[in-house]
Amino acid sequence: DQQVKQNSPSLSVQEGRISILNCDYTNSMFDYFLWYKKYPAEGPTFLISISSIKDKNEDGRFTVFLNKSAKHLSLHIVPSQPGDSAVYFCAAVGGSQGNLIFGKGTKLSVKP
Amino acid sequence: GAGVSQSPSNKVTEKGKDVELRCDPISGHTALYWYRQSLGQGLEFLIYFQGNSAPDKSGLPSDRFSAERTGGSVSTLTIQRTQQEDSAVYLCASSSQGTRNQPQHFGDGTRLSIL
């Protein structure tokens, strides 16, 4: 049973527009979330994180929003660029040791 | 380089053989994690090392899987008597303190194919 869900396997956006990637989780005990970006044949690269004591964290073009009551988070990329085309993974810190629980990823395509 | 290094990048082997996958974490990182990504799936946690403490093996899928970390640095993941369902990309990650909220930095993985 998946604890972190990314229900959209793919998303296509025009360059310059906003990309919104969504993630839902089931365990209300999760208190720290991360987004990773992955290009083919490379490992995931850390993008941005958020603690459950916040509802928003911003870093340049990337903003993560957390809605604890809905157990939902989203990653906004504004403006989207062709180089943002990649698979984006949402992850929650699941164990006491810090191991990550990942969603299955959303493949973002940004068209010029 | 300064990142997490994994070798080999690709491994093809026959069913029933043993394989060893290697991970060199970022220098100074005390926490090391192994994950695997099967086709169409997210990353699945396998095992965690923190300093000289006993590893957290709770994610290992069977007793054919084992891992060790020598001298608190390099780690080796061993899969014995490989099966076709072991085919996946095996990813290693390290973080600086091993506390829960430190971002993990990943290597590029080893793509394992079992024939």
Side-chain angles (χ1 to χ4, degrees):
Chain A
D1 193 28
Q2 273 194 282
Q3 297 191 69
V4 176
K5 299 177 186 178
Q6 294 177 257
N7 291 320
S8 298
S10 63
L11 174 68
S12 183
V13 170
Q14 203 66 33
E15 180 179 8
R17 307 295 288 268
I18 184 171
S19 296
I20 300 177
L21 298 121
N22 293 304
C23 178
D24 297 290
Y25 60 96
T26 58
N27 190 334
S28 59
M29 299 301 292
F30 289 158
D31 61 1
Y32 192 70
F33 304 89
L34 305 91
W35 284 93
Y36 282 82
K37 173 181 177 180
K38 186 180 185 301
Y39 293 117
E42 294 184 10
T45 303
F46 170 70
L47 204 53
I48 193 169
S49 62
I50 189 165
S51 164
S52 61
I53 62 173
K54 294 185 173 183
D55 55 15
K56 176 182 175 181
N57 189 24
E58 190 171 353
D59 184 1
R61 297 186 297 113
F62 302 91
T63 303
V64 56
F65 296 92
L66 176 62
N67 183 332
K68 284 181 62 179
S69 61
K71 297 195 190 70
H72 177 85
L73 64 157
S74 61
L75 174 68
H76 292 209
I77 307 173
V78 183
S80 301
Q81 299 173 354
D84 296 331
S85 298
V87 177
Y88 289 78
F89 289 98
C90 169
V93 177
S96 60
Q97 312 289 12
N99 55 283
L100 299 174
I101 299 175
F102 284 86
K104 292 186 177 183
T106 296
K107 183 176 182 179
L108 174 66
S109 299
V110 180
K111 310 235 178 265
Chain B
V4 176
S5 177
Q6 291 187 246
S7 60
S9 54
N10 286 282
K11 177 74 176 178
V12 181
T13 193
E14 292 179 346
K15 176 182 170 181
K17 301 284 189 184
D18 297 351
V19 294
E20 278 191 359
L21 313 178
R22 177 187 167 105
C23 172
D24 282 277
I26 292 172
S27 178
H29 279 194
T30 58
L32 187 148
Y33 303 80
W34 283 97
Y35 295 85
R36 74 174 175 182
Q37 184 180 16
S38 303
L39 191 63
Q41 302 296 314
L43 282 75
E44 171 193 12
F45 166 72
L46 297 177
I47 189 169
Y48 161 75
F49 295 89
Q50 169 57 30
N52 296 320
S53 303
D56 175 358
K57 304 179 182 179
S58 60
L60 294 178
S62 80
D63 58 8
R64 296 186 294 104
F65 288 72
S66 62
E68 61 180 25
R69 188 179 184 191
T70 53
S73 181
V74 171
S75 177
T76 303
L77 177 69
T78 301
I79 309 173
Q80 295 178 310
R81 304 180 304 282
T82 51
Q83 304 294 313
Q84 287 186 331
E85 62 262 26
D86 300 335
S87 296
V89 178
Y90 289 80
L91 290 151
C92 176
S94 68
S95 67
S96 59
Q97 296 177 20
T99 56
R100 297 180 73 251
N101 296 349
Q102 286 291 325
Q104 296 171 25
H105 301 272
F106 284 81
D108 287 340
T110 294
R111 181 174 296 278
L112 177 63
S113 300
I114 309 300
L115 302 179

